[in-house]
Amino acid sequence: MTLSVPQKDRTNTWYIAAKGTPYILKMTRSDKPNWSEISAHNQPVDVTPPAGDIQDLN
């Protein structure tokens, strides 16, 4: 399944799994010749901050 959202100067398109749990497979933008593919769905994410100096941007 695809979901396209036109914006002022581009269109964002998401490719979504249509079977089982829906999740994003790929994202594209009409103004950029590249894309992002997404994998490792439902996998744990390491949220340990890196060692060294950390800046809080809030």
Side-chain angles (χ1 to χ4, degrees):
M1 167 179 14
T2 59
L3 171 64
S4 294
V5 179
Q7 294 184 335
K8 183 178 175 181
D9 57 346
R10 68 177 182 263
T11 298
N12 296 326
T13 302
W14 292 272
Y15 298 85
I16 302 167
K19 293 183 180 180
T21 302
Y23 53 87
I24 298 172
L25 299 169
K26 180 178 175 180
M27 297 180 290
T28 63
R29 286 177 44 172
S30 61
D31 64 336
K32 302 282 183 183
N34 54 8
W35 65 89
S36 297
E37 290 187 12
I38 302 167
S39 61
H41 302 282
N42 295 323
Q43 298 296 315
V45 176
D46 181 8
V47 294
T48 305
D53 294 334
I54 298 173
Q55 296 181 2
D56 185 355
L57 300 178
N58 288 325

